[in-house]
Amino acid sequence: MSRFEDLVAEGEAVPVEGWDFSWFEGRASEERPSWGYSKLLAQRMAEAKAGLDLQTGGGEVLAGIPTAPPRLAATESWEPNLEIARRALAKFNAEVIQAGDMDDLPFANATFDLVTSRHPVATRWDEIHRVLRPGGTYLSQQVGPASVRELTDLLMGPQPVNPSRSPMTLVAAAEAAGLEIVDLRQQALRMEFHDIAAVIHFLRKVIWIVPGFTVPTYRAQLTTLHTFIERHGPFVAHSHRILIEARH
């Protein structure tokens, strides 16, 4: 079991701040949605006069845009990510403000002509509508229902699917807030985990897959999964992604 223990220690030691997933190269992989969120984000931001990115993490995705609007702001709820995001977005003179995922947004009405979010924990559709200017756009890549459920169910047992993340629920909430849906797409995407260190780091980083995850709590399941990967190759799961674009 020495290899198992070494991999567990490695998975527990990798820092989880920010949304940089480069550590997973060669250890885990995930197909990308065909629509190319980063490319869409870059196009929309280049055309905007004032942009806001919600739940920006460490600002890694937003920092990849080649051209920023004259005013750029971002919010993030988790304290360790704030300074990372401020450094990443300093080249754009962006405001990076701490705000809870379900808090009212700390901006005046009709401030932005573009609001974006990639994989938000929660979406305040009413607040997005409030801070958007008439004719403004909300562009988001959302995590769909039962994403990576193979891993969740393996560790926790079969779990009910959360309907709040279904495309129908998202559309209904956006329309109830006064937004018009102009684009809606969804895809299931193959994921592979090549060792148990990658599984552990992923579960520590993406905390909603197995809420309250710790290695001691799930040691038996991790041991079983490690044995499976060593004998049979990568563990396969599927992420679910939804692209939604709405207009004020």
Side-chain angles (χ1 to χ4, degrees), residues 8 49 54 69 80 84 130 136 139 151 187 200 217 235:
V8 167
K49 295 181 175 62
L54 301 175
I84 297 173
R130 183 183 65 77
L139 176 71
L151 188 54
Q187 286 185 325
I200 291 168
T217 301
F235 178 76

Side-chain angles (χ1 to χ4, degrees), residues 95-152:
E95 312 164 66
V96 180
I97 300 172
Q98 186 169 22
D101 298 332
M102 288 301 291
D103 288 354
D104 291 350
L105 296 175
F107 304 102
N109 296 352
T111 299
F112 301 98
D113 54 331
L114 177 65
V115 177
T116 62
S117 58
R118 180 180 179 274
H119 303 174
V121 175
T123 304
R124 282 289 305 274
W125 296 101
D126 57 332
E127 281 294 281
I128 291 166
H129 180 272
R130 183 183 65 77
V131 301
L132 274 174
R133 295 168 181 166
T137 295
Y138 174 62
L139 176 71
S140 178
Q141 182 172 289
Q142 301 261 340
V143 176
S147 195
V148 204
R149 71 173 300 165
E150 299 94 337
L151 188 54
T152 303

Side-chain angles (χ1 to χ4, degrees), residues 6-241:
D6 288 346
L7 289 169
V8 167
E10 185 180 5
E12 289 191 294
V14 184
V16 296
E17 293 83 5
W19 285 114
D20 180 1
F21 283 75
S22 60
W23 179 88
F24 287 102
E25 186 172 354
R27 317 289 294 263
S29 62
E30 179 183 356
E31 290 181 318
R32 296 302 179 204
S34 59
W35 50 75
Y37 178 79
S38 294
K39 181 178 179 180
L40 293 175
L41 176 67
Q43 291 172 344
R44 301 297 192 278
M45 283 291 179
E47 297 166 355
K49 295 181 175 62
L52 169 64
D53 192 50
L54 301 175
Q55 301 176 43
T56 198
E60 298 87 352
V61 176
L62 185 59
I65 62 175
T67 305
R71 180 181 180 184
L72 182 63
T75 66
E76 171 58 25
S77 62
W78 196 38
E79 184 78 36
N81 279 343
L82 287 169
E83 192 54 41
I84 297 173
R86 287 174 180 138
R87 289 197 301 270
L89 301 174
K91 60 184 179 180
F92 299 134
N93 294 316
E95 312 164 66
V96 180
I97 300 172
Q98 186 169 22
D101 298 332
M102 288 301 291
D103 288 354
D104 291 350
L105 296 175
F107 304 102
N109 296 352
T111 299
F112 301 98
D113 54 331
L114 177 65
V115 177
T116 62
S117 58
R118 180 180 179 274
H119 303 174
V121 175
T123 304
R124 282 289 305 274
W125 296 101
D126 57 332
E127 281 294 281
I128 291 166
H129 180 272
R130 183 183 65 77
V131 301
L132 274 174
R133 295 168 181 166
T137 295
Y138 174 62
L139 176 71
S140 178
Q141 182 172 289
Q142 301 261 340
V143 176
S147 195
V148 204
R149 71 173 300 165
E150 299 94 337
L151 188 54
T152 303
D153 290 354
L154 177 68
L155 269 67
M156 302 179 67
Q159 299 294 304
V161 175
N162 182 358
S164 69
R165 290 194 172 274
S166 75
M168 291 182 63
T169 302
L170 293 174
V171 168
E175 291 178 341
L179 296 169
E180 175 192 2
I181 304 300
V182 296
D183 195 3
L184 181 69
R185 309 181 219 175
Q186 56 183 314
Q187 286 185 325
L189 304 158
R190 182 183 175 93
M191 303 178 69
E192 293 185 357
F193 295 90
H194 293 264
D195 62 46
I196 205 66
V199 172
I200 291 168
H201 180 45
F202 178 77
L203 293 173
R204 291 175 55 236
K205 192 176 187 73
V206 189
I207 59 175
W208 52 86
I209 301 299
V210 177
F213 170 80
T214 65
V215 168
T217 301
Y218 292 99
R219 190 175 187 85
Q221 295 93 321
L222 293 170
T223 302
T224 300
L225 181 52
H226 167 73
T227 301
F228 175 88
I229 294 172
E230 292 287 292
R231 291 179 178 174
H232 304 290
F235 178 76
V236 176
H238 295 84
S239 61
H240 184 195
R241 298 290 179 260

